[in-house]
């Protein structure tokens, strides 16, 4: 009986400990609340209640592993201290009024699987440290005002399945390292200022299902290697300056049937090859 009582007390103590978040993690959460005007959130935190009851926060033991405050009227900047939540697996701040820059020391968030900062007012560049997030599967930064180039380090994300950075002000070429992320299924780079060519190495993205480069400044031949992407179901690479012949399949697959802007800024359709029985690319 005594052993049973001891066991019950031990179990109760364990549950109590699991309900209490670490002091360091709680400090970061309070910093986030203050920095983003928590008093005016749509769904506020009751700071006098246990953190396990706070909206959008998920705990494992005494650590914060998920924060989902999407569409919750957060206004302000992401505090740099957020990178101290080293057990964080998900950070979703989609569709708020967050301004400022993406914290630079992202390499501390080694466990992060999903990062969604889309539909905000973020400025500055995408930190190269994002390439240190080796567990990242979902990266969504679309509809902000991010500038600069896509960091080459993004090619280090060997588990990445979704990269959505459309509707920003990104410049430069698609880094060659990105073509090596063979896990990619969704690649949305449209409505930026990207230039240069689409590399034949796009054929390495064998799992790609959705490709959007719409409304950039890319040029050169549309690579026939796109034909090798057998899982590709959606594509829009129109409103660039691509040239040359394209296959009928690719023309039909493209949402706008390969409408390009010529050197005079006039919208024109690319010519479709008539020799549709002949393989356009070599089979592996």
């Amino acid at each position: 009986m005594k052993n049973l009582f001891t066991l019950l007390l031990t179990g109760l103590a364990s549950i109590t400990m699991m309900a209490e978040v670490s002091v360091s993690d709680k400090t970061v959460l309070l910093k986030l609340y203050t920095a983003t005007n928590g008093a005016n959130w749509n769904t506020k935190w009751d700071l006098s209640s246990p953190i396990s009851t706070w909206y959008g926060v998920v705990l494992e033991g005494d650590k914060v592993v998920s924060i989902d405050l999407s569409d919750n009227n957060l206004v302000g900047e992401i505090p740099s201290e957020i990178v101290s939540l080293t057990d964080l697996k998900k950070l979703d701040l989609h569709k708020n009024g967050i301004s400022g820059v993406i914290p630079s020391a992202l390499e501390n968030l080694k466990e992060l699987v999903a990062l969604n900062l889309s539909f905000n007012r973020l400025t500055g560049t995408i930190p190269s440290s994002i390439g240190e997030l080796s567990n990242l599967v979902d990266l969504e930064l679309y509809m902000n005002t991010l500038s600069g180039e896509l960091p080459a380090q993004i090619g280090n994300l060997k588990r990445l399945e979704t990269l959505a950075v459309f509707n920003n002000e990104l410049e430069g070429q698609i880094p060659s390292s990105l073509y090596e992320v063979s896990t990619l299924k969704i690649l949305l780079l449209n409505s930026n200022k990207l230039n240069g060519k689409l590399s034949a190495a796009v054929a390495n993205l064998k799992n790609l299902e959705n490709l959007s480069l719409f409304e950039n400044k890319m040029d050169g031949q549309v690579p026939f290697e796109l034909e090798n992407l057998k899982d590709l179901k959606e594509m829009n690479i129109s409103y660039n300056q691509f040239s040359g012949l394209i296959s009928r399949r690719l023309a039909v697959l493209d949402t706008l049937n390969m409408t390009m802007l010529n050197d005079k800024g006039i919208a024109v359709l690319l010519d479709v090859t008539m020799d549709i029985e002949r393989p356009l690319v070599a089979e592996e």
Side-chain angles (χ1 to χ4, degrees):
M1 192 68 180
K2 182 179 179 180
N3 289 340
L4 179 59
F5 182 71
T6 303
L7 184 61
L8 287 172
L9 281 179
T10 303
L12 182 60
S14 298
I15 293 171
T16 302
M17 288 178 62
M18 290 179 67
E20 296 296 329
V21 72
S22 68
V23 173
S24 58
D25 280 14
K26 182 176 182 179
T27 300
V28 175
L29 291 178
L30 292 174
K31 184 73 175 179
L32 176 63
Y33 187 81
T34 302
T36 58
N37 199 17
N40 287 318
W41 290 0
N42 293 335
T43 304
K44 305 173 184 61
W45 288 343
D46 181 352
L47 302 184
S48 64
S49 297
I51 293 176
S52 58
T53 67
W54 289 8
Y55 174 75
V57 177
V58 177
L59 306 178
E60 284 184 6
D62 66 343
K63 293 295 184 180
V64 177
V65 296
S66 179
I67 300 174
D68 186 348
L69 296 171
S70 55
D71 198 9
N72 199 39
N73 196 38
L74 276 68
V75 177
E77 299 187 6
I78 302 171
S80 59
E81 290 87 350
I82 199 83
V83 300
S84 299
L85 299 177
T86 54
D87 292 88
L88 201 62
K89 297 178 182 178
K90 177 182 179 180
L91 178 60
D92 189 344
L93 303 179
H94 165 75
K95 200 176 181 182
N96 283 290
I98 296 172
S99 55
V101 300
I102 300 172
S104 59
L106 291 174
E107 67 272 12
N108 293 330
L109 302 178
K110 300 293 187 185
E111 303 300 318
L112 205 61
V113 174
L115 176 61
N116 190 340
L117 304 178
S118 61
F119 217 131
N120 280 288
R121 301 170 186 168
L122 293 168
T123 56
T125 61
I126 299 174
S128 60
S129 56
I130 209 159
E132 299 293 322
L133 306 181
S134 57
N135 289 307
L136 203 60
V137 173
D138 186 358
L139 176 58
E140 301 184 45
L141 304 174
Y142 60 87
M143 296 192 74
N144 281 288
T145 317
L146 297 171
S147 57
E149 300 185 358
L150 276 171
Q153 292 83 355
I154 209 163
N156 296 332
L157 304 179
K158 300 306 183 184
R159 298 184 181 182
L160 195 64
E161 295 182 4
T162 298
L163 175 60
V165 295
F166 59 88
N167 282 86
N168 279 290
E169 296 181 2
L170 299 174
E171 301 176 323
Q173 300 185 25
I174 297 175
S176 58
S177 60
L178 185 58
Y179 297 114
E180 303 304 318
V181 185
S182 60
T183 51
L184 269 174
K185 294 180 179 179
I186 299 173
L187 179 58
L188 308 179
L189 307 178
N190 52 285
S191 302
N192 279 290
K193 301 176 182 178
L194 300 175
N195 57 38
K197 296 173 172 53
L198 178 61
S199 172
V202 70
N204 295 334
L205 306 180
K206 297 183 182 301
N207 293 298
L208 203 61
E209 298 174 1
N210 189 345
L211 171 65
S212 183
L213 304 174
F214 168 77
E215 199 179 33
N216 277 290
K217 299 179 179 180
M218 300 183 70
D219 58 18
Q221 168 71 50
V222 176
F224 289 143
E225 286 79 4
L226 281 171
E227 288 280 353
N228 282 336
L229 302 180
K230 303 305 181 185
D231 291 334
L232 194 61
K233 301 177 182 68
E234 297 180 55
M235 182 178 75
N236 191 349
I237 65 173
S238 289
Y239 281 83
N240 282 281
Q241 295 178 330
F242 290 123
S243 58
L245 289 174
I246 45 90
S247 73
R248 187 173 302 277
R249 173 180 175 266
L250 292 180
V252 171
L253 191 61
D254 187 271
T255 307
L256 294 174
N257 301 120
M258 296 289 184
T259 303
M260 299 298 159
L261 296 176
N262 63 18
D263 55 1
K264 297 179 181 179
I266 299 173
V268 296
L269 290 176
L270 289 189
D271 291 330
V272 178
T273 179
M274 299 305 294
D275 188 10
I276 60 174
E277 299 300 326
R278 179 175 59 83
L280 294 173
V281 289
E283 294 292 334
E284 293 186 352

